[in-house]
Amino acid sequence: MALDPAIKEGAPVGYEDQPIHTEPGALPPEVQAPLAPFRGREPDAPKWFQDAVAKAPERSFVTSKGTKLELLTWGEVGKPGLLFVHGNSAHADWWSFIAPFFAEDYRVASMSLAGMGASDWRDTYAFQDFAEDAEACAQAAGLYEGGRKPVYVGHSFGGSQVFYAAANHPDRMHAAILVDVGFGGPPPDSPEGKRMLEEQRQREVRNIPTPDRAQRVYPDIASALARFRLMPPQVAGNLFVADFIARRSLKRAPLEDGSGEGWSWRFDPNMWTKLDRSAMMGLTAGGKPTVTTPMAHIYGDRSVVMSRRASSQPSPLPDDILEIAIPDSAHHIMIDQPLALVAALRALLAVWPA
């Protein structure tokens, strides 16, 4: 399995749902700061992409467990339902150039998980709460009105949430499609988990906020975009997609010196310390859980997430799961090969589940 330059050069890569600190020069420039050369300018985008994002969604909010959640919808209520769930530190607009390709045949929704996008932050985050949030969004979007339960599609950390919901609430979904899911890092009480925690304590992690260190505010959007990179690190295959995502990852925030407003990232910087993994760990503690929901997995053939599984890292996915590899793609398939992802999803939904 060929991997990205960030992996080939021995740089730290971390796990799919946690940030890592890298010193300047530890990653190739195209990985460390893919948008910096544009100095705030939008990269040129092909017509298909422009046409897709021009089909703007309806934007609303849904309240779940006392938290306001961002919800984007396309298509007519009464058609079969599709719910897209993004990865960690991401947001609903990661699907805004994918979802329109399904809007003629489906009622489509994309949600921002609690603590991300324009959704409210919480004191704690838990897998069981994310499952209830997804159900609340599916109900509010009318995804059940097409005469069958919706199909959930989740990328990365969002795919872990879809897996958890599918295992615990098979009555809520027609099928589940995971997109390049590796189920995060090692358990915190495992030897590798303890080693990672100790390394983090011993080093200064300047660009990862903590409860006693605020999230950085950038003076202008060009400066903020220059700091954008993917997690786990990889080359951004299509820079016009990366730029679209990055701009919608930012919000206005007061500058530290009080001189005005700048730009900061929209996700809760303390997500990783607030996340309660106990429900997922309990689900998989005895090995692979029984999953009755039809489940498929689409992955990138250069994904570091998949390379860890190939090196015998345990996976809770069913042994007989249907898997589809997307050629020439790393972990973030919707950035590397967006049209191939659309084609794979369309083909899958046309014939599966039988």
Side-chain angles (χ1 to χ4, degrees):
M1 177 181 287
L3 298 176
D4 279 350
I7 313 304
K8 290 179 182 178
E9 296 183 11
V13 296
Y15 286 84
E16 67 177 297
D17 66 348
Q18 284 190 321
I20 61 168
H21 174 69
T22 54
E23 295 294 336
L27 295 169
E30 64 270 25
V31 176
Q32 184 80 28
L35 301 177
F38 294 94
R39 302 181 183 276
R41 180 181 66 81
E42 292 186 31
D44 294 336
K47 187 175 185 300
W48 73 260
F49 183 83
Q50 297 175 32
D51 291 344
V53 298
K55 297 175 182 176
E58 295 181 13
R59 295 178 180 267
S60 61
F61 289 91
V62 176
T63 299
S64 173
K65 304 185 74 65
T67 300
K68 186 176 67 174
L69 303 173
E70 182 181 28
L71 181 66
L72 281 55
T73 53
W74 297 258
E76 299 176 9
V77 173
K79 294 183 176 180
L82 277 178
L83 177 65
F84 287 97
V85 187
H86 61 78
N88 208 352
S89 303
H91 49 79
D93 274 303
W94 274 66
W95 298 107
S96 283
F97 48 93
I98 301 292
F101 285 96
F102 300 89
E104 287 189 11
D105 300 314
Y106 296 88
R107 171 64 170 172
V108 187
S110 176
M111 62 180 293
S112 286
L113 294 169
M116 304 179 225
S119 294
D120 288 343
W121 299 0
R122 286 175 172 157
D123 293 334
T124 59
Y125 302 93
F127 280 73
Q128 59 269 34
D129 293 342
F130 285 132
E132 297 306 315
D133 296 343
E135 170 68 0
C137 287
Q139 292 283 358
L143 300 189
Y144 288 91
E145 302 303 316
R148 75 175 193 194
K149 294 172 288 187
V151 175
Y152 282 37
V153 182
H155 174 242
S156 191
F157 180 75
S160 300
Q161 309 308 324
V162 170
F163 177 84
Y164 177 87
N168 285 276
H169 306 287
D171 56 309
R172 294 180 180 177
M173 64 184 78
H174 180 64
I177 302 174
L178 313 182
V179 181
D180 214 88
V181 180
F183 297 93
D189 58 348
S190 69
E192 185 180 1
K194 291 177 180 178
R195 177 186 59 77
M196 290 176 63
L197 287 173
E198 183 59 28
E199 287 180 354
Q200 184 170 335
R201 292 190 191 101
Q202 292 179 0
R203 70 176 181 257
E204 182 183 5
V205 188
R206 290 183 294 275
N207 62 341
I208 301 177
T210 63
D212 60 350
R213 184 171 59 248
Q215 195 168 25
R216 183 172 178 180
V217 178
Y218 300 92
D220 52 65
I221 197 160
S223 301
L225 292 173
R227 296 292 295 177
F228 177 81
R229 71 168 182 262
L230 298 172
M231 179 178 68
Q234 66 161 81
V235 173
N238 286 294
L239 293 174
F240 59 90
V241 179
D243 180 85
F244 175 89
I245 287 170
R247 290 176 188 273
R248 287 153 184 81
S249 302
L250 293 164
K251 64 180 180 180
R252 299 308 300 261
L255 291 169
E256 297 175 4
D257 62 5
S259 61
E261 282 192 326
W263 297 89
S264 188
W265 305 112
R266 297 167 79 188
F267 60 84
D268 183 347
N270 299 309
M271 161 69 71
W272 305 278
T273 57
K274 295 179 180 180
L275 180 62
D276 178 0
R277 299 177 183 269
S278 58
M280 175 61 91
M281 293 174 67
L283 178 67
T284 59
K288 294 179 184 290
T290 299
V291 179
T292 59
T293 304
M295 185 172 291
H297 186 211
I298 299 172
Y299 65 93
D301 69 352
R302 293 188 288 105
S303 170
V304 64
V305 167
M306 296 305 298
S307 73
R308 287 200 304 268
R309 199 182 79 172
S311 64
S312 300
Q313 179 172 306
S315 168
L317 295 179
D319 291 331
D320 61 349
I321 190 170
L322 173 63
E323 294 199 286
I324 301 170
I326 301 296
D328 196 26
S329 178
H331 177 61
H332 299 92
I333 300 174
M334 66 280 291
I335 297 178
D336 293 338
Q337 298 290 350
L339 293 180
L341 177 58
V342 169
L345 288 170
R346 278 180 162 176
L348 191 57
L349 291 168
V351 300
W352 174 90

